Amino acid sequence: MSLRGKLLALFSIFGVLPVVALGVYGYLRSLDSVDELIRVRTAESTARIAEEIQFRYALRQSDLLLLGVNAETLRLYQTHAVDDSMGYLDARLAADAFLRQAREVVGSSYRAIILREAAGEHLYGLGDAGTGSESAVGQAFGPSRGFITLVEPVREAESGREYGSIEATVRFQALLPEEVLSLSFGADGYTVILDRGTGLVLHHPNRVYLRQQLSDVLGPGGWKLEPDILSGDSGSFSFREGGVRRVASFVTLSAPAWT
């Protein structure tokens, strides 16, 4: 190799290659910075949504306590339990007056409110309550035509005796208003809400996934991720969707049991 060739080779090794390496390093660092920015912003949006859901859920629980644990409602249960027919009629009139008045305050969030016996039989209902005995169990949620069912026990405070349950059919918007669901980062960002109790998708911008199994979102036709990616109280992960790499953050709520 000529002297000129040797000089050019040395220049390439000690001059050009370090610059290229620095450029590649800087590019990778910039990608990491962008990635971290997206993770921070999606985490912030997710935390805000989670906080709003918990606040609204606490309000609905307060409503159920107001409607289910009061003197009129408890007397209705108590007279029914001892088969006091005369006392039950008086108690039902008093409970009906109280519950109708209370529903004027909280009713805009509900389609129906049902009092059930311990065995699940219908005892009293307001709104589009029906008289069927089917009921969700515990603090259960089942998306159906824009409504979610909340169930709380009716207990006597002093003795702790459980008489039955109060079941409320809550309007979806009362827990998840559109302005909350629209929170996202980036023009193509979106929010998904999963019900861990039923394993169903409560909210997704693509209606194909609504009320479908979680596996449909995470599986081969969706994000192609393992379910344990959503374990833990919160976190972030990346996946590919439509040929585009996306970054997502999640928060796990204990009540309601949503992610």
Side-chain angles (χ1 to χ4, degrees), residues 23-165:
V24 171
Y25 176 74
Y27 173 71
L28 294 175
R29 285 293 301 274
S30 66
L31 287 181
D32 288 341
S33 298
V34 171
D35 190 84
E36 182 60 27
L37 171 64
I38 296 174
R39 289 178 188 274
V40 170
R41 294 296 298 274
T42 55
E44 290 174 350
S45 295
T46 306
R48 288 174 60 192
I49 294 170
E51 183 178 352
E52 184 67 21
I53 290 173
Q54 286 182 306
F55 173 72
R56 288 172 175 268
Y57 178 73
L59 289 180
R60 302 290 79 81
Q61 283 187 306
S62 296
D63 292 345
L64 294 188
L65 287 173
L66 170 67
L67 298 171
V69 186
N70 58 79
E72 290 82 358
T73 300
L74 286 174
R75 184 164 172 254
L76 178 66
Y77 274 102
Q78 290 163 347
T79 54
H80 178 76
V82 298
D83 201 22
D84 179 1
S85 56
M86 292 301 295
Y88 175 75
L89 289 175
D90 290 340
R92 187 175 179 86
L93 288 173
D96 183 67
F98 171 79
L99 291 171
R100 288 184 182 278
Q101 183 178 15
R103 189 169 184 259
E104 291 297 317
V105 179
V106 304
S108 62
S109 298
Y110 302 92
R111 184 182 72 172
I113 296 167
I114 302 174
L115 298 179
R116 296 190 184 276
E117 301 176 60
E121 293 297 321
H122 182 279
L123 182 64
Y124 174 90
L126 275 176
D128 184 16
T131 57
S133 62
E134 67 278 1
S135 174
V137 178
Q139 294 178 347
F141 294 81
S144 176
R145 298 180 184 177
F147 297 95
I148 300 171
T149 300
L150 274 70
V151 182
E152 291 285 347
V154 176
R155 292 192 182 96
E156 192 174 57
E158 293 79 7
S159 66
R161 176 180 176 181
E162 186 172 320
Y163 286 98
S165 63

Side-chain angles (χ1 to χ4, degrees), residues 189-207:
Y190 61 88
T191 297
V192 175
I193 296 179
L194 311 170
D195 179 359
R196 299 192 309 280
T198 62
L200 298 179
V201 179
L202 283 179
H203 174 77
H204 195 293
N206 187 343
R207 299 186 65 83

